[in-house]
Structures are given as structure tokens and as C-alpha cells.
Amino acid sequence: ALGASLIFTFTVATLAAKSRKAELVIVPMLDILQSVPVLGFLSFTVTLFMGLFPGNRLGVELAAMFAIFTAQAWNMAFSFYQSLRTIPADLDEVSRQFGFSAWRRFVRLELPFATPGLVWNMMMSMSGAWFFVVASEAITVGDTVVTLPGIGSWLALAIAREDFRSVAWAVAAMVVVILLYDQFVFRPIVAWADKFRFEQTASAARPRSWVYDLVRRTRLIGPLFHALGWPLRALGRLSVPRFGRPLGRPLSPGGARLLDWLWVLLAAGAGLGAVGLIADFIARNLGWQDVLTAFGLGLATMLRVVLLIAIASLIWVPIGVWIGLRPVWAERLQPVAQLLAAFPANVLFPFAVIAIAAF
């Protein structure tokens, strides 16, 4: 799912950053999609993937990975899009003076510039995906429950049986896994990506990783990684030829504005068509009273979320500012913060309910 999210990020976010017309459609769609709960996607994608592979567990596996993908992709795409929009003008001018093709510009300038922010968002997206590991591995379709082998289905079964010993084992396993991929995957990547950070002065405290230092200093591991990295180096040297000059003369400012307005009208027409389809579905299958009920329930949910955001902001924004102004503490607390961010809240829910009911 993380690999699919990266591919999605590189294509969709780059298209939105490069084309004003694509940006007009992609950015609002990403904003809406990131607001849809993962369980909302599961409600219809499970049936879709199971229909593509009837009688085969591959369909359910794809549905689970798609659920994790939806927990990661939107955040990563927004990060990459923002990085591409904020490339310094002097670096952009240098790439144009060297006559870089679109591909070489992407590989040599845009991707390296966006790498530090993208790495941090990958870490947060990976942590966010752990929240939905239970829902994605223990899927309910009507009266049928489909479970996939994994810690999520283990947790779902343990919670259903109220077996808190098994829940504790699952929590311990999650802690071990999170610490392992922090030390062996993300911490080395963060240390490596720091060389791409665009700063006028050197960092006061550079991120460090014992695994990254080991790779750089060990005689055998270094050449091994160098040999495995040849596809990336080959992509970096790839030169996509330009196929002649564009046909005709460039559009005048008036023609460009006219084309922009036509695109806006086309997008607005598609949006109105979608609204019409939704209204027709409601008129045929539901009633407007159902719409008012759903809207009222949505307001109740929003009230809970807003209150929680306010309480969390009052507590954690000052703490975050204090940590952010002290790089030494930031490096020490990064694994703790990542562990807590990746820890699924639904695992603690049974213990919280017991505590609330008792007190």
C-alpha cells in the first residue's frame, strides 16, 4: 500500500502542480477524499474487489491494501504537491538554463527538493495506516466476516472474545514492529534525506541513524547497496527526447483565458452532473427525511471531532513548539512520538471503556 501511495503521489501530485487545469479538479478531490473515513471506502470497495476475483482471497487482500492505501495516499500527495509549488525560483531558473527535459528536471530538481518533506509524511502516513489495521484485516460484508492473517484480525478476535491477555500480546507485538521499522527503515531514510534539505545555513543538529552509519562505513554493505541502486541511477541518467516543436503558435492571453473558462465550465458541468445523480439516487431509494437525519448525525460527529481538536491543540501545540525549538530533544522524542502516533487507538478502547465504567 505504501508503494502504491508513492506511485499515486508522483503522478497525481505532479500533474496538479504542473497544470492549472488539473489542479482545479485534483486539489478539491484530494481534499474531499482525505475527509472520507477509511471505513467508508471499505463499504463498497470490498464488494468490487471480491467481484473481480470471485472465490479467491486475492480480492479481499486487494481490498485490505486499498483501505490502507486510502489512509496514506492523500496526505503524501498534498505534501509532494506543496513541495513542487514552493521550489525556489533560482533553482528553477538554473534547471531551465541547463535545458533539462521534464523528466530530468523531475529527477534532478523536483524529487530531491521534495524528498525531506515526503519522507516525514510517509512516516506519518504509515503511522496513520496502523489505525485501520483491524478494520482492513477483519472485513464485514453484510452478515459475512472475512478475516485475513495478520495482527489486525488477531486483535479483532481478541476484542470480540474479551481476551485481554491476547490484546496485550498484540500490543506488545505492535510495539516491537513499530520500533523495528523505525530503526531499520525510516530513521536511516530520514538521515539520508537530510542531504537534500534546502537551507542557506547548515543544520544545527543533523538526524543520525546507526543503521545509516553502518551502511556507509561497512565495506561489504556499501557496495551491495550501490549495486542494488543501479535502477535509480539509470532513471536519473535517462534523457527523454523532445519530439520537435509544438505545432502552431502559442495561445494569446485572451485565448488562454478563454480555454481556462471552458475548462472551468466543463468541471462545473461534471460537478452538477454528479449532484444530479446523487439527487436521483436519493429520490429513488431514500427520502429527504433520511438526508436530514444523516446531516444531523454528521453534525453530532463533527461536534465531537471539533471538541477533541480544541482539547488536543491546547495540550499538544505548546508541547510541540517546545520540542521543535530544541533539536536535541526532537531527535530523542521522535521514536516515542512515532510509536504513539502509530499505536491504534481502537486497541486501547476496551481498556478505556473499562476505566470509564469503573470510575
Side-chain angles (χ1 to χ4, degrees):
L2 190 63
S5 299
L6 275 174
I7 295 173
F8 176 86
T9 297
F10 291 151
T11 53
V12 174
T14 304
L15 183 61
K18 297 286 187 181
S19 169
R20 287 186 303 160
K21 297 178 180 61
E23 179 188 25
L24 183 69
V25 177
I26 291 174
V27 173
M29 284 185 63
L30 289 177
D31 201 15
I32 294 171
L33 290 172
Q34 75 170 351
S35 304
V36 178
V38 171
L39 298 180
F41 289 107
L42 269 179
S43 61
F44 64 90
T45 55
V46 172
T47 307
L48 171 66
F49 284 113
M50 291 180 69
L52 292 176
F53 302 94
N56 194 325
R57 203 179 72 184
L58 178 60
V60 187
E61 292 280 3
L62 291 175
M65 284 187 282
F66 182 80
I68 300 171
F69 165 85
T70 57
Q72 297 173 335
W74 323 132
N75 181 39
M76 292 167 57
F78 267 122
S79 166
F80 199 71
Y81 162 79
Q82 182 64 22
S83 297
L84 296 185
R85 292 299 301 270
T86 56
I87 292 178
D90 51 351
L91 296 182
D92 179 73
E93 184 65 26
V94 168
S95 69
R96 296 184 186 279
Q97 287 180 354
F98 275 107
F100 282 1
S101 65
W103 171 254
R104 182 156 292 188
R105 173 184 165 84
F106 177 78
V107 174
R108 295 294 187 184
L109 171 61
E110 295 167 349
L111 182 57
F113 179 81
T115 292
L118 181 61
V119 168
W120 280 100
N121 274 275
M122 284 172 59
M123 292 169 59
M124 295 307 300
S125 299
M126 186 82 167
S127 299
W130 279 94
F131 281 121
F132 307 103
V133 67
V134 174
S136 62
E137 292 181 359
I139 302 172
T140 302
V141 184
D143 298 328
T144 305
V145 178
V146 182
T147 57
L148 298 171
I151 199 168
S153 55
W154 168 286
L155 260 175
L157 185 60
I159 293 173
R161 293 181 176 178
E162 298 182 1
D163 185 353
F164 294 107
R165 182 182 178 185
S166 298
V167 171
W169 276 113
V171 169
M174 280 190 171
V175 169
V176 171
V177 169
I178 292 168
L179 290 176
L180 285 176
Y181 77 68
D182 172 70
Q183 291 295 317
F184 287 93
V185 179
F186 282 120
R187 186 64 69 89
I189 293 177
V190 168
W192 167 79
D194 188 67
K195 66 182 180 181
F196 298 116
R197 192 176 302 280
F198 181 76
E199 293 178 344
Q200 300 295 337
T201 57
S203 301
R206 299 175 65 89
R208 300 186 62 84
S209 165
W210 64 271
V211 174
Y212 183 64
D213 293 339
L214 182 69
V215 170
R216 294 181 63 189
R217 296 173 182 173
T218 305
R219 294 182 178 179
L220 293 179
I221 297 181
L224 176 63
F225 273 78
H226 184 78
L228 293 176
W230 72 266
L232 296 178
R233 293 192 298 274
L235 285 176
R237 291 191 296 266
L238 185 64
S239 179
V240 180
R242 297 180 180 179
F243 297 97
R245 298 180 179 180
L247 297 176
R249 297 178 180 179
L251 288 175
S252 63
R257 282 196 298 270
L258 177 61
L259 193 61
D260 289 343
W261 276 109
L262 289 175
W263 180 257
V264 169
L265 291 175
L266 180 63
L272 290 175
V275 171
L277 290 175
I278 294 172
D280 181 67
F281 173 80
I282 292 172
R284 290 175 180 271
N285 301 281
L286 302 171
W288 293 108
Q289 183 63 37
D290 298 321
V291 176
L292 294 176
T293 302
F295 186 74
L297 295 175
L299 289 178
T301 299
M302 186 182 71
L303 180 62
R304 296 188 186 98
V305 173
V306 169
L307 287 174
L308 186 59
I309 289 175
I311 295 171
S313 299
L314 289 174
I315 296 172
W316 290 107
V317 168
I319 296 175
V321 170
W322 186 88
I323 295 173
L325 294 176
R326 293 160 178 81
V328 175
W329 278 99
E331 186 175 358
R332 293 174 183 173
L333 294 177
Q334 176 198 329
V336 179
Q338 187 177 348
L339 175 64
L340 295 176
F343 203 80
N346 47 8
V347 176
L348 301 177
F349 194 67
F351 301 103
V353 170
I354 291 173
I356 292 170
F359 296 103

